[in-house]
Every structure is written in C-alpha cells, then in structure tokens.
C-alpha cells in the first residue's frame, strides 16, 4: 500500500525567509496530493493541493511542486510570517480514495 | 455555521472503561471519518462512512466501533479502553469521494483521550 514520508520533522526559519517541506510517496498510482495546516488546538485545514497531471500550483505565498518520476512533492512558503507557524501535513490519495498522511512538520517562524 | 463539532474535548478513562465520542457536521456532507493523531505518526484512519448507512474499516480499526446515526452524526465507541488508545481523535467530513472530486476534509477541533 501507499506510504508517505515527510521531512523535516521540525523546521525553524527567520521571519521573511522561505520554508520548504518535502514528501515522498511509494505508490505510483496515487494521483492527488493535498497539504494541510494544523494550528495549535485545531483540526487540520486544507491549504493547497495538486493533482498528478500538474507539475506546480501556486496560491499567493504558498506553492506546491510535484515530480511524478521521482515520486516526491514539496510545499514552498515564501516571505514567511508569524501566522505561518503551525504543523503542516502532506498526504497522498491511494487507490481506495483514502488519504495516507505524512508524519507532519512543525514550522517555527523566528521573529 | 459550526462545521464539524466533536464532544467531549477532553476525557480521562481507566483501562477497561467504555466511552463514545460524538461527531456532528452541518455541511450536508455525505462522507465522515474518524482519525487518531499520535506524535510523529501523522493521522491514521480508524473508520469511515462513505455515505449514510455504510461504514468501513480504515488503517487502525481494532478496539473501536462506529455508528453512522444519520447523515449528520458519526460516533466512535471504545468498548474496553486500553492505554494504547491514548491519543487525539479527529472527526472529519467531506463530499462524496470520486475521481473528479478532491474530497477536501473538514475537521473538528479534536478530542483528547487519556487512558490510565
């Protein structure tokens, strides 16, 4: 079955700098890759997603890239702000339409 | 508009006790899910209900039972709690999953369960 690995587990960046979180997946049949953001005490919330027929997608300061050949996808956050501090999860949708989740990355924005 | 509401938010149980986590959504979604979240392990699917009247096992169903009471409500029951079930539990809902529908998940705020 599908397996998703996410790195790093913790990422600390200076406010205003960029942050990159990377995920790899194992099942080449997976075709949908969302990213969720979880703020303290809240449930995860979708921030951006990408389908396997697209290589890159942007939404203001966040972007996701997908390399199907290498089976990895990444979240890019530019001009980081204090409100970006959260735990970020990547996921891949398997053949049963269920999401298989990465372990999460705690992003810390230093003032 | 409340979205997904879970109760209780916190619960402490002794080993062997039973309890039910309640979940309700007001978005008229067809599909509902129960996940558990443990440090360093992401979210793991316990059970899901693709539509009213159906339930299916997820990745980690052992020790749990679910009931899809109606379209709005999906409950998770621990019959005999064990310390390994100490976790944060999230309920989520989505539109019916399909090839053309991304099936965005909408989560509740979580229920923190401790089993002593």
């Amino acid at each position: 079955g599908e397996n998703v690995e996410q790195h790093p587990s913790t990422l600390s960046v200076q406010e205003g700098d960029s942050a990159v979180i990377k995920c790899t997946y194992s099942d080449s049949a997976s075709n949908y890759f969302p990213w969720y953001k979880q703020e303290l005490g809240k449930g995860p919330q979708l921030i951006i997603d990408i389908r396997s027929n697209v290589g890159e997608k942007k939404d203001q300061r966040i972007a996701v890239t997908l390399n199907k050949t290498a089976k990895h996808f990444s979240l890019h956050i530019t001009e980081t702000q204090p409100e970006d501090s959260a735990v970020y999860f990547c996921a891949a949708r398997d053949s049963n339409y269920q999401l298989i989740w990465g372990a999460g990355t705690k992003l810390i924005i230093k003032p | 508009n409340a979205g997904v509401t879970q109760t209780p938010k916190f619960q402490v149980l002794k080993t062997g006790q039973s309890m039910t986590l309640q979940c309700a959504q007001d978005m008229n979604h067809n599909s509902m899910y129960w996940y558990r979240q443990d440090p360093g392990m992401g979210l793991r699917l316990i059970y899901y209900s693709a539509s009213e009247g159906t339930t299916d096992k997820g990745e980690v169903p052992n020790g749990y039972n679910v009931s899809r009471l109606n379209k709005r409500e999906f409950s998770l029951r621990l019959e005999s709690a064990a310390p390994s079930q100490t976790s944060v539990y999230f309920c989520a809902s989505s539109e019916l999953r399909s090839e053309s529908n991304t099936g965005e998940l909408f989560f509740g705020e979580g229920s923190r369960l401790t089993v002593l």
Side-chain angles (χ1 to χ4, degrees), chain A residues 33-87:
Chain A
F33 308 91
W35 286 89
Y36 282 74
K37 175 183 180 182
Q38 184 179 26
E39 297 178 345
L40 196 61
K42 304 287 187 181
Q45 185 172 12
L46 180 69
I47 55 171
I48 196 167
D49 56 14
I50 192 167
R51 292 181 182 271
S52 58
N53 59 351
V54 175
E56 183 176 6
K57 184 177 179 180
K58 290 183 179 180
D59 183 3
Q60 300 182 351
R61 293 187 299 108
I62 61 173
V64 57
T65 58
L66 172 65
N67 183 326
K68 284 195 301 180
T69 303
K71 289 188 283 187
H72 66 71
F73 56 111
S74 300
L75 177 71
H76 304 253
I77 306 174
T78 59
E79 301 173 10
T80 52
Q81 300 170 4
E83 54 265 36
D84 295 329
S85 291
V87 178

Side-chain angles (χ1 to χ4, degrees), chain A residues 31-32 36 38 41-44 46 49 51 89 93 96-99 101-103, chain B residues 33 35 37 40 42-43 45 48 90 97-102 104-105 107-109:
Chain A
N31 61 5
Y32 173 67
Y36 282 74
Q38 184 179 26
K42 304 287 187 181
L46 180 69
D49 56 14
R51 292 181 182 271
F89 291 97
R93 188 166 65 187
N96 293 318
Y97 292 102
Q98 297 303 333
L99 292 180
W101 298 79
Chain B
Y33 311 79
Y35 286 92
Q37 183 178 33
L43 291 155
L45 183 64
Y48 66 99
F90 286 96
R97 297 162 297 126
S98 69
E99 185 55 44
S100 60
N101 179 8
T102 63
E104 177 183 354
L105 293 172
F107 285 87
E109 295 196 335

Side-chain angles (χ1 to χ4, degrees), chain A residues 3-22:
Chain A
N3 182 53
V4 177
E5 294 191 358
Q6 182 172 349
H7 300 281
S9 57
T10 304
L11 178 60
S12 183
V13 302
Q14 205 71 37
E15 182 178 348
D17 288 350
S18 295
V20 180
I21 303 170
K22 299 181 179 181

